[in-house]
Amino acid sequence: MGSARRILIDCTIILGVGVVLALIGPFGSFAAPFGLRLLYWLAMSYAGYFLYFPAMRAASIFAPRLDLPEWSLWAAACVLASVPMSVVVWAANLIWHPGRWLPLEQWIAHYFNVALLAGLVCTLFWFTRQRRLARIAPAPEPEAPTSEPGLPRLAERLPPHLRAAPIALEMEDHYVRVHTRHGSTLLLMRMRDAVAELDGMPGALVHRSWWVAREAVTGTRRDGRNVRLLLTGGIEAPVARAQAPGLEAAGWF
């Protein structure tokens, strides 16, 4: 559900980018009627999204594995993805120049125009992504304890003011959001590794992207066949339909 929501947000941003480009009419397109410009730039914007999105997604996944800054792989992905995008733009430009083949020097200039515009849009998405990942957890109370005895190894990865028994783990891309009674934060690790560092703490993977502590469940909410667990702190965790019978039999709800 989270990924679908992010794609919907991305597509809304791309819609805005396409409308702005249609209004500005860059690269000689302003001479065309607005309706044709709008159709052209929306088509180019969405074609670019479905070319660049997989490249940026791959860059985000491989950056930690290669121990490289994520922004550098985003830049490299943008440079590479601009090659097929240049071909797409050239094919679309046949609307303005039917049957026109570009000489080498014009191909190079054409590529740099595409890469420049793509770089600006990718930069917009980069900062949007960083703002989403940098959501700040609630500030700690001055007298709040910084840790508790008998915590699992995973708790040692948390900032001191959040250190407590995890209520739930939520997968976000290649990060895991750890929820505790003091707040939440993102850790760069795989879900299975995070669960392993819970050291057998009672709980279950209730969904492919959620682990929930057994003692944190305060109730359930049903919507037809869909079940959501209500957790301490107002958190809600979706239950996968395949997991629901086993959890119900175990007395979770």
Side-chain angles (χ1 to χ4, degrees):
M1 184 177 295
S3 296
R5 180 175 178 273
R6 282 194 292 273
I7 291 175
L8 180 60
I9 293 172
D10 289 350
C11 287
T12 303
I13 294 173
I14 288 297
L15 175 64
V17 170
V19 171
V20 169
L21 290 174
L23 291 171
I24 296 173
F27 306 122
S29 64
F30 193 79
F34 177 75
L36 186 57
R37 289 203 315 270
L38 181 62
L39 179 63
Y40 172 83
W41 283 113
L42 285 178
M44 291 302 94
S45 297
Y46 282 106
Y49 176 75
F50 288 107
L51 273 176
Y52 287 94
F53 176 77
M56 301 308 154
R57 173 77 171 174
S60 295
I61 292 173
F62 284 104
R65 298 180 185 180
L66 298 175
D67 196 22
L68 292 172
E70 189 174 352
W71 66 264
S72 65
L73 287 193
W74 268 56
C78 181
V79 169
L80 292 176
S82 293
V83 174
M85 188 62 198
S86 297
V87 177
V88 171
V89 174
W90 168 80
N93 285 350
L94 293 178
I95 297 173
W96 328 111
H97 307 290
R100 182 183 177 190
W101 183 259
L102 301 178
L104 179 60
E105 61 274 12
Q106 290 187 27
W107 266 112
I108 294 174
H110 172 69
Y111 167 82
F112 277 104
N113 285 336
V114 171
L116 175 62
L117 186 56
L120 293 174
V121 177
C122 288
T123 300
L124 171 64
F125 276 97
W126 166 260
F127 283 109
T128 301
R129 171 181 169 78
Q130 295 310 302
R131 289 186 63 183
R132 178 176 62 81
L133 294 179
R135 282 180 287 181
I136 301 175
E141 298 179 3
E143 300 300 323
T146 58
S147 63
E148 298 175 356
L151 293 178
R153 283 174 296 154
L154 184 65
E156 297 303 314
R157 294 179 178 267
L158 304 178
H161 66 277
L162 295 180
R163 220 163 275 169
I167 293 171
L169 307 180
E170 178 185 2
M171 189 168 62
E172 295 187 18
D173 294 330
H174 51 288
Y175 292 81
V176 171
R177 179 170 292 279
V178 182
H179 298 273
T180 75
R181 61 187 177 87
H182 299 309
S184 68
T185 190
L186 287 169
L187 297 179
L188 180 58
M189 62 191 309
R190 296 176 297 184
M191 174 65 86
R192 65 183 182 186
D193 294 334
V195 172
E197 292 193 10
L198 291 171
D199 299 330
M201 181 178 170
L205 281 166
V206 301
H207 188 276
R208 63 189 177 96
S209 58
W210 280 84
W211 177 94
V212 169
R214 181 66 179 88
E215 64 180 13
V217 178
T218 60
T220 59
R221 184 164 63 85
R222 294 178 181 267
D223 181 12
R225 296 176 58 193
N226 298 321
V227 179
R228 299 182 71 85
L229 296 177
L230 307 180
L231 310 180
T232 304
I235 302 167
E236 292 190 17
V239 175
R241 290 182 180 177
Q243 298 291 89
L247 292 172
E248 188 169 16
W252 281 60
F253 51 87

